[in-house]
């Protein structure tokens, strides 16, 4: 079954066809909720629906929702989230919420002018329908709305296969730096330049406000996931290079002693749920200096703000850390396999543009950790220069820029009407 699912995920034409069928299957329910929405006269028809995975509030969706409610309470906004989520009451204290995948979620979606999300399926409460399928099958509904893709992080790899306009139909695509903007607005992605906006990620506002926050003696290890490890069994996962590389590190005497001698904690935090489900399989010889972090029990932004050093492999979360001018190490033990099975290299070269050194084995990784300790976790001039060149936007105005853009967009639409 895992091989079949992986095959489908790797073949966009099959996956997209199946999603069209799902969208058609939901025709009665979607049509019914559209008709019902006209009877909800107390709900305005210019709502802003914001969210992420429907079960959390940790990323750009929550950051922008918080900004809206603090700075522009006149905007009629709702955040979609399950009441069973540990984050529900935190969001509820800030603004209006709607139960994820409920009938009211359907109504609010119908009444929304803007849909802002880090995902393109979760805002739509009808199974696994993406914005593309909804726009193709239900144009009389979708054409009245604008989908703003808030992203998970700065795109650096070649994501044109999955994130091109023909596959997403995003109305607006948020970018954060000039090189990323140039990439996403290039012909291979298929977006009009006017539909790619350079406003910055909303979550960066909080990072900027904490540039000088105190830091703990903590090293944050945040690797990305592997598409080819999705849906595999525990036995298959434990045979992977991914598992072996990190599990061996957690039991390496040299790194354990280094952590002990310098009173440091190594926090392992794979943020993707496809890896999180295997978290209990990782073991360490010293739980006092190596800890495994549950994504539902810790704040990503808090960990990024408080840690002194980040180790990642290919994750764009390195940009969050670099945005705060802190050191990064790229541990890329499976370069050939990753490029073959996951994402192709894009405009960003780790060796030429990376915010820190690239290593391919644990020996060199531990040596780089030692170097950072000796340098008191300060970047070398080489990486300081790369950092300054890459981040042409570094402030706490990211949410403000996005809001201003949408207000201008809204005013222009009203004028045209």
């Amino acid at each position: 079954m895992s091989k079949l699912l992986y095959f489908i995920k790797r073949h966009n034409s099959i996956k997209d066809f199946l999603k069209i069928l799902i969208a058609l299957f939901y025709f009665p329910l979607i049509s019914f909720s559209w008709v019902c929405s006209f009877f909800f006269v107390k709900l305005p028809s210019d709502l802003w629906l914001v969210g992420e995975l429907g079960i959390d509030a940790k990323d750009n969706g929550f950051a922008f929702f918080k900004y809206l409610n603090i700075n522009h309470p006149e905007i009629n906004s709702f955040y979609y989230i399950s009441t069973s989520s540990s984050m529900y009451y935190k969001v509820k204290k800030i603004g209006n919420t709607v139960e994820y995948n409920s009938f009211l979620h359907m109504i609010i979606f119908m009444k929304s002018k803007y849909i802002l999300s880090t995902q393109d399926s979760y805002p739509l409460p009808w199974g696994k329908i993406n914005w593309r399928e909804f726009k193709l099958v239900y144009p009389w509904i979708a054409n009245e709305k604008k989908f703003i893709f808030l992203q998970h992080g700065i795109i650096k790899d070649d994501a044109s296969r999955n994130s091109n306009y023909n596959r997403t139909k995003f109305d607006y695509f948020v970018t954060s730096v000039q090189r990323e903007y140039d990439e996403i607005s290039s012909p291979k992605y298929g977006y009009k330049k006017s539909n790619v906006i350079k406003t910055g990620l909303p979550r960066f506002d909080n990072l900027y406000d904490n540039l000088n926050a105190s830091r703990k003696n903590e090293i944050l290890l945040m690797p990305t996931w592997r598409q080819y490890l999705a849906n595999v069994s525990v036995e298959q996962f434990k045979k992977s290079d991914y598992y072996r590389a990190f599990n061996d590190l957690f039991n390496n005497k040299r790194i354990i002693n280094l952590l002990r001698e310098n009173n440091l904690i190594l926090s392992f935090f794979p943020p993707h749920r496809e890896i999180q489900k295997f978290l209990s399989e990782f073991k360490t010889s010293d739980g006092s200096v190596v800890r495994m972090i549950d994504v539902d029990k810790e704040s990503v932004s808090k960990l990024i703000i408080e840690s002194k050093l980040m180790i990642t492999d290919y994750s764009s979360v390195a940009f969050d850390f670099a945005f705060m001018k802190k050191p990064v190490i790229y541990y890329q033990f499976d370069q050939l396999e990753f490029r073959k099975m996951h994402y192709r290299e894009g405009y960003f070269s780790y060796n030429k543009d990376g915010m820190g050194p690239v290593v391919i084995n644990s020996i060199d990784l531990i040596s780089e950790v030692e170097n950072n300790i000796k340098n008191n976790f300060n970047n070398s001039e080489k990486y300081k220069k790369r950092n300054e060149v890459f981040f042409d936007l570094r402030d706490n105005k990211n949410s403000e820029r996005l809001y201003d853009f949408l207000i201008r967009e809204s005013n222009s639409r009203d004028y045209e009407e």
Side-chain angles (χ1 to χ4, degrees):
M1 179 59 72
S2 63
K3 290 184 178 180
L4 176 61
L5 290 172
Y6 178 65
F7 177 81
I8 293 173
K9 287 180 179 181
R10 292 291 290 177
H11 291 78
N12 288 339
S13 58
I14 299 174
K15 186 165 58 175
D16 293 346
F17 175 72
L18 292 175
K19 287 183 177 180
I20 288 289
L21 293 181
I22 294 172
L24 289 169
F25 173 80
Y26 279 100
F27 181 85
L29 183 56
I30 291 175
S31 299
F32 177 70
S33 58
W34 177 62
V35 171
C36 287
S37 69
F38 292 101
F39 294 94
F40 283 73
V41 292
K42 290 186 178 180
L43 283 174
S45 57
D46 62 347
L47 299 178
W48 293 25
L49 179 61
V50 189
E52 295 165 10
L53 291 168
I55 55 173
D56 57 6
K58 300 178 179 180
D59 205 340
N60 295 308
F62 178 65
F64 188 67
F65 182 73
K66 186 176 180 180
Y67 166 83
L68 277 181
N69 281 273
I70 292 174
N71 297 281
H72 299 283
E74 73 279 5
I75 298 297
N76 298 304
S77 61
F78 277 83
Y79 193 96
Y80 61 88
I81 186 169
S82 171
T83 52
S84 63
S85 168
S86 60
M87 304 295 291
Y88 173 75
Y89 289 104
K90 181 179 180 179
V91 181
K92 185 70 175 175
K93 289 178 182 178
I94 293 170
N96 297 320
T97 61
V98 59
E99 173 68 21
Y100 173 58
N101 272 353
S102 64
F103 183 68
L104 186 56
H105 184 178
M106 299 179 194
I107 298 300
I108 287 175
F109 176 88
M110 293 298 178
K111 304 282 278 187
S112 294
K113 183 176 186 177
Y114 293 121
I115 296 103
L116 302 103
S117 180
T118 56
Q119 314 288 328
D120 65 343
S121 63
Y122 295 94
L124 286 69
W126 299 285
K128 290 293 183 181
I129 304 175
N130 288 32
W131 178 248
R132 168 188 173 271
E133 289 73 50
F134 188 86
K135 200 166 185 176
L136 290 175
V137 178
Y138 304 97
W140 67 92
I141 301 173
N143 289 346
E144 298 299 315
K145 310 176 187 307
K146 297 292 182 183
F147 190 103
I148 297 89
F149 182 49
L150 296 178
Q151 284 218 62
H152 318 288
I154 296 176
I155 288 180
K156 61 196 173 358
D157 296 311
D158 184 352
S160 59
R161 182 174 174 271
N162 292 313
S163 298
N164 66 78
Y165 180 74
N166 287 332
R167 290 217 66 238
T168 68
K169 302 297 182 184
F170 293 149
D171 297 290
Y172 295 107
F173 198 121
V174 171
T175 63
S176 301
V177 296
Q178 189 60 41
R179 290 186 68 188
E180 182 193 28
Y181 171 83
D182 292 340
E183 172 75 357
I184 303 303
S185 59
S186 66
K188 70 179 178 179
Y189 279 83
Y191 296 92
K192 294 179 181 177
K193 285 206 170 186
S194 58
N195 296 113
V196 181
I197 55 177
K198 182 184 163 189
T199 58
L201 299 180
R203 70 171 186 250
F204 280 3
D205 291 342
N206 183 50
L207 298 183
Y208 186 85
D209 290 339
N210 284 279
L211 280 176
N212 298 313
S214 59
R215 299 168 187 176
K216 294 181 179 179
N217 286 342
E218 196 157 341
I219 297 172
L220 183 58
L221 173 53
M222 285 188 71
T224 191
W225 71 308
R226 301 296 187 273
Q227 191 177 53
Y228 45 91
L229 292 180
N231 306 118
V232 299
S233 66
V234 172
E235 292 73 21
Q236 289 172 313
F237 179 75
K238 292 180 76 170
K239 291 178 182 178
S240 69
D241 290 340
Y242 185 98
Y243 174 80
R244 286 196 291 263
F246 293 118
N247 202 65
D248 288 353
L249 181 67
F250 303 147
N251 296 279
N252 184 294
K253 290 183 180 179
R254 186 178 164 205
I255 189 68
I256 295 295
N257 290 334
L258 187 63
L259 294 169
R260 286 174 182 165
E261 291 166 4
N262 292 278
N263 194 29
L264 287 163
I265 300 291
L266 177 64
S267 297
F268 180 54
F269 185 31
H272 292 269
R273 294 183 183 277
E274 289 290 352
I275 301 299
Q276 275 279 321
K277 65 186 180 184
F278 296 116
L279 192 63
S280 62
E281 302 303 323
F282 292 95
K283 309 298 179 183
T284 176
S285 58
D286 191 342
S288 67
V289 293
V290 177
R291 65 175 184 142
M292 311 298 170
I293 300 181
D294 186 326
V295 69
D296 291 320
K297 294 180 180 179
E298 293 276 0
S299 164
V300 180
S301 61
K302 187 172 183 288
L303 288 166
I304 289 172
I305 289 167
E306 293 181 347
S307 299
K308 289 185 174 181
L309 169 68
M310 173 175 282
I311 301 171
T312 185
D313 45 9
Y314 313 92
S315 177
S316 63
V317 75
F319 289 124
D320 293 56
F321 215 74
F323 181 87
M324 298 191 74
K325 302 183 180 183
K326 297 196 288 186
V328 174
I329 302 173
Y330 301 98
Y331 181 29
Q332 299 180 348
F333 53 86
D334 60 346
Q335 289 176 338
L336 293 177
E337 185 180 37
F338 183 84
R339 289 305 178 197
K340 180 181 178 182
M341 306 287 281
H342 205 79
Y343 288 121
R344 295 172 296 178
E345 187 173 75
Y347 68 89
F348 185 89
S349 165
Y350 290 96
N351 290 316
K352 295 179 181 178
D353 308 309
M355 303 297 165
V358 178
V359 296
I360 60 174
N361 58 65
S362 60
I363 295 174
D364 292 339
L365 171 62
I366 298 169
S367 294
E368 289 296 343
V369 173
E370 287 180 325
N371 290 337
N372 273 277
I373 293 171
K374 291 175 184 176
N375 294 327
N376 198 28
F377 299 99
N378 291 312
N379 267 322
S380 67
E381 289 303 317
K382 173 183 177 180
Y383 299 117
K384 283 181 181 178
K385 185 175 180 181
R386 287 185 184 180
N387 193 302
E388 291 299 327
V389 170
F390 186 78
F391 288 104
D392 53 312
L393 278 183
R394 196 191 323 250
D395 58 24
N396 58 359
K397 306 294 183 184
N398 301 280
S399 291
E400 182 180 319
R401 277 188 291 269
L402 177 56
Y403 168 80
D404 288 344
F405 172 84
L406 293 176
I407 292 299
R408 289 195 302 271
E409 199 275 345
S410 179
N411 290 337
S412 66
R413 287 167 67 184
D414 292 341
Y415 179 78
E416 289 173 2
E417 291 173 1

